[in-house]
Amino acid sequence: MTFPKHDSYKDSGEDWLGEIPEHWEALRTKSIFRLVTEPAPKNNSEELLSIYSDIGVKPRKELEERGNKASTTDGYWFVKKGDVIVNKLLAWMGAIGVSEYDGVTSPAYDILRAYKPVESKFYHYLFRSPICTSKLKQHSKGI
């Protein structure tokens, strides 16, 4: 991914990030997004969404041959278009993406919703970038 050239840059304050355009602000993820845990009601008919490291967020019906099939979506999390979905176990592999759909997803995933309007696609690419996934891998905890 390449970014347009800017006339002036400043230090981001983070060694791993380096310099950023002068008009940008380096913020912590938690100051941009909140964690959403809004459960879907019983017997809902919402679109079931999944996150894949290679293709991002997709409706499960488009990819029936992949992964396990849920017998019910009771208690799954509501997702709104523009939310960032994170597979907590596979985030370090790039299983993070912005949803282009309203629907529901497994409670094994985190749903991040911006406090105010943002360009969600930017975060889709940022969180899936090699430098970010290496940081996620560095901080992930295993058995």
Side-chain angles (χ1 to χ4, degrees), residues 39-66:
K42 290 189 181 295
N43 303 317
N44 71 78
S45 59
E46 297 289 330
E47 184 79 62
L48 177 58
L49 306 173
S50 288
I51 179 79
Y52 302 93
S53 57
D54 54 342
I55 58 175
V57 179
K58 293 290 179 191
R60 179 62 66 94
K61 70 181 179 189
E62 290 182 13
L63 304 157
E64 285 298 327
E65 70 283 354
R66 291 178 175 235

Side-chain angles (χ1 to χ4, degrees), residues 53-109:
S53 57
D54 54 342
I55 58 175
V57 179
K58 293 290 179 191
R60 179 62 66 94
K61 70 181 179 189
E62 290 182 13
L63 304 157
E64 285 298 327
E65 70 283 354
R66 291 178 175 235
N68 299 321
K69 294 183 175 83
S71 57
T72 178
T73 58
D74 293 355
Y76 274 36
W77 302 135
F78 270 122
V79 175
K80 291 184 180 177
K81 185 177 180 177
D83 287 348
V84 176
I85 299 177
V86 180
N87 180 321
K88 295 181 267 192
L89 297 177
L90 300 175
W92 63 274
M93 288 179 54
I96 301 174
V98 65
S99 180
E100 299 292 332
Y101 315 90
D102 290 333
V104 295
T105 196
S106 167
Y109 300 159

